[in-house]
Amino acid sequence: MTALREILLRRITATGPISIAEYMTECLLHPAHGYYTTRDPLGAGGDFTTAPEISQMFGELLGLCLAQAWLDQGAPEAFVLAEPGPGRGTLMADMLRATARVPGFHAAARLHLVEASPALRTVQARALPQATWHDRIDQIPDDLPLYLVANEFFDALPIRQFVRDGAGWRERVVGRDGDELVFGLTAPAPLAELEHRLADTRDGDMVEQSPALPALTGEIGGRIARRGGAALIVDYGGRGRTGDSFQAVRGHEKVDPLAAPGEADLTAHVDFEALGRAAAPAACAGPVPQGVFLERLGITARAQALAAKLEGTALDAHVAAHRRLTHPEEMGDLFKVAALHPCNAPPPPGIET
């Protein structure tokens, strides 16, 4: 039994079952026992691997994509380059390397990172010593255009889950059965915020909501609408989907999300339809499949150029990385890319729909 499970069991005994969102928040960000606050979870020795860790090509192309958006908006002489949830700093380091030859881009960039994990901040500081760190997106300076990349950030936002029951909804919650954490359902009740989902769901369908998504996306979209800039959002999910996407990953394997609180990564699919609505008054382009996006940006040509310098196992690993990022049966279709941009500016390249 983990220390956090004991804390959660006592809390549930005292105040009753908690929402999935409350459970995720405690598991991921508890100051003493939270998953993100106590470890570096990335890579072969961690619990999961993200696209920047698979190949440098991913970060290179995203960096050049944002640089082109900067050029398309007149190459402002100063701007904020930001990343929430930057992992080990690998993505941003690859972006900066690829954009080093874009005239004026580095001189204009002011690098800001949003990271809640002290352990990961330490790792990021080694890769990106020039960065300024913040606890929240709204702490990033708001006096310059914002060019932002968010890779597998929104999927870690806590969600609530609701099961349709007639014209009402029963919320899925976490309770206790002896010393075990268990799922349960509340009594049905109408919910104004889910009124629009009555038209595309049936009894028994589950829908998910991220309480934090509208405010976060609204903050990013509002800044881009006011100041200019662009945001690339890469994550797995879709539009207005139904079903249970809440999952836990530990040691690169899916596990029971209630089994070991604080010891596994917890995520859920991103609702890109809700994200697009919340971005107003900025425009939201996409989402498009990650594989399509990367192919439009020229990943195959870049892969071939890199392959010419490789042989043996290094070449095999490189070919496998290209496939993993782009193939529909790997990350190519599951992951999507959306872009926020001012209504009077074109979307970043690769997001044409």
Side-chain angles (χ1 to χ4, degrees):
M1 181 176 291
T2 66
L4 185 56
R5 179 188 287 187
E6 281 284 354
I7 293 170
L8 292 170
L9 287 171
R10 290 198 299 269
R11 174 178 171 180
I12 291 167
T13 299
T15 62
I18 59 177
S19 68
I20 302 295
E22 292 172 295
Y23 178 76
M24 288 183 71
T25 299
E26 290 295 325
C27 289
L28 297 178
L29 297 175
H30 187 281
H33 307 294
Y35 180 77
Y36 288 138
T37 53
T38 58
R39 75 201 67 210
D40 174 1
L42 293 159
D47 293 311
F48 58 90
T49 302
T50 60
E53 308 290 333
I54 294 170
S55 171
Q56 70 186 66
M57 297 184 292
F58 183 80
E60 290 171 348
L61 292 174
L62 264 63
L64 293 172
C65 178
L66 274 189
Q68 185 60 56
W70 173 73
L71 291 169
D72 289 343
Q73 294 183 43
E77 62 183 16
F79 68 91
V80 168
L81 178 61
E83 182 181 3
R88 291 176 172 170
T90 305
L91 172 59
M92 185 57 69
D94 288 341
M95 291 174 61
L96 290 172
R97 186 183 63 257
T99 55
R101 295 185 181 181
V102 178
F105 187 79
H106 281 201
R110 311 289 185 265
L111 181 58
H112 292 263
L113 304 177
V114 179
E115 180 57 69
S117 167
L120 286 175
R121 281 195 186 194
T122 300
V123 177
Q124 293 156 15
R126 292 196 288 267
L128 303 163
Q130 72 275 40
T132 299
W133 279 264
H134 307 278
D135 294 321
R136 304 188 312 274
I137 285 177
D138 61 8
Q139 294 174 335
I140 295 173
D142 187 24
D143 57 347
L144 295 171
L146 173 64
Y147 290 82
L148 178 144
V149 61
N151 179 60
E152 293 198 51
F153 170 76
F154 282 89
D155 66 358
L157 295 181
I159 61 159
R160 297 174 70 185
Q161 294 183 316
F162 300 91
V163 177
R164 182 170 172 181
D165 188 327
W169 301 89
R170 298 160 65 92
E171 183 166 10
R172 194 185 193 199
V173 293
V174 178
R176 70 174 296 172
D177 182 6
D179 288 335
E180 298 296 324
L181 295 168
V182 295
F183 289 118
L185 293 171
T186 64
L191 292 173
E193 62 267 32
L194 290 178
E195 188 73 23
H196 67 289
R197 295 307 307 268
L198 294 175
D200 65 356
T201 58
R202 299 176 295 179
D203 270 11
D205 283 349
M206 177 179 284
V207 300
E208 297 174 337
Q209 273 196 329
S210 172
L213 184 145
L216 278 171
T217 310
E219 178 74 23
I220 297 168
R223 291 183 179 213
I224 288 171
R226 289 192 304 272
R227 302 290 187 184
L232 293 176
I233 298 169
V234 187
D235 231 312
Y236 56 90
R239 288 179 173 273
R241 59 180 304 279
T242 61
D244 178 12
S245 74
F246 181 44
Q247 70 172 21
V249 174
R250 187 179 186 184
H252 298 269
E253 299 288 342
K254 288 186 179 181
V255 297
D256 178 354
L258 301 185
E263 298 294 328
D265 185 36
L266 301 178
T267 62
H269 283 214
V270 175
D271 183 349
F272 281 95
E273 184 175 337
L275 188 149
R277 288 197 305 269
C284 180
V288 298
Q290 176 178 290
V292 172
F293 171 73
L294 294 174
E295 290 294 356
R296 288 173 175 174
L297 294 181
I299 191 172
T300 295
R302 177 58 175 154
Q304 291 169 343
L306 290 172
K309 305 173 184 177
L310 302 173
E311 58 184 20
T313 57
L315 177 59
D316 292 340
H318 173 63
V319 171
H322 175 259
R323 176 185 169 85
R324 188 170 177 188
L325 290 175
T326 61
H327 197 278
E329 295 181 1
E330 304 261 359
M331 299 175 73
D333 274 357
L334 176 63
F335 281 77
K336 309 293 192 302
V337 185
L340 310 185
H341 61 97
C343 292
N344 62 354
I351 314 289
E352 304 86 358
T353 55

